[in-house]
Amino acid sequence: TIRRYYTTEPPFRLDVLCQSAAKFCQMKEKTDLSPFPPELIGLIRSALAHLYDHAFLQNHPLAAMLDRENNLDQVSRAQRVRRLLLDCIESLRPPTDAPADTARAYAILNNHYLDGLPMPTVAEKLGLSQRQAYRELEKGIKAITNLLWERIGHEIAPAPSAPSASDNRRQI
């Protein structure tokens, strides 16, 4: 199913997402799962939906995860998120001699998020059914999530926590 986030504040908490990412990284070592936490797809979907909204992006959990040391001001945080998403979309651009079906996800992402066209118009423009257009959109969002995780996963995944003093006393 496709979820849409139209609220001004996404329903994600940074600490919960970081805990989830830590658990996911531990599980990933034991099993062969997709390379990113599933919550990241929702964050990227909501950031893409508000790609040109500075106020939304500067307070987005993805921006907070990318700027953990609080080195950037609010505008720079929004610009960094936007630039990363735009770079990921651009990296999906197929070569000019690629078959048409390999270019679908890029074309849909480009038309829907960058040009702002509604999905029925995008589907009609590309000669696809709306259902197929939404499937290709999901493929594109997952590809962006995968690319983003490869590029900045080390920044998002929390560092292992050091044992507390009370844990050290118990071991003695």
Side-chain angles (χ1 to χ4, degrees):
T1 62
I2 297 177
R3 296 181 186 168
R4 296 178 191 224
Y5 299 99
Y6 291 110
T7 60
T8 57
E9 185 175 321
F12 303 105
R13 286 191 33 215
L14 180 61
D15 57 337
V16 172
L17 185 66
C18 287
Q19 289 171 358
S20 175
K23 288 179 186 175
F24 182 81
C25 290
Q26 291 170 354
M27 287 175 32
K28 175 73 173 127
E29 294 171 0
K30 297 177 185 173
T31 61
D32 188 26
L33 299 173
S34 64
F36 50 83
E39 293 86 358
L40 192 58
I41 293 174
L43 286 175
I44 290 175
R45 186 179 287 120
S46 68
L48 283 169
H50 298 89
L51 193 60
Y52 297 108
D53 185 355
H54 278 288
F56 184 86
L57 288 180
Q58 70 189 13
N59 296 315
H60 195 273
L62 195 56
M65 290 187 310
L66 294 174
D67 185 30
R68 294 187 109 174
E69 292 84 33
N70 293 324
N71 294 337
L72 301 173
D73 62 356
Q74 295 291 335
V75 175
S76 298
R77 287 172 62 176
Q79 289 173 347
R80 181 166 186 212
V81 171
R82 180 180 300 109
R83 176 57 27 215
L84 277 169
L85 292 172
L86 291 173
D87 288 345
C88 287
I89 291 173
E90 192 58 34
S91 67
L92 293 177
R93 180 189 293 255
T96 55
D97 59 344
D101 59 337
T102 60
R104 281 185 193 160
Y106 170 77
I108 289 173
L109 289 167
N110 192 30
N111 286 316
H112 184 60
Y113 291 119
L114 302 183
D115 297 340
L117 296 176
M119 281 303 291
T121 306
V122 172
E124 184 180 326
K125 183 177 179 180
L126 297 176
L128 301 171
S129 69
Q130 287 187 25
R131 186 177 200 153
Q132 184 62 34
Y134 277 109
R135 276 191 225 116
E136 295 293 333
L137 178 66
E138 282 303 307
K139 285 181 190 176
I141 290 173
K142 286 182 181 177
I144 288 174
T145 305
N146 196 13
L147 287 169
L148 194 64
W149 184 255
E150 287 175 4
R151 290 183 186 187
I152 59 158
H154 62 280
E155 295 177 34
I156 293 175
S161 59
S164 65
S166 63
D167 291 339
N168 290 339
R169 280 186 255 148
R170 289 181 194 152
Q171 293 174 354
I172 296 177

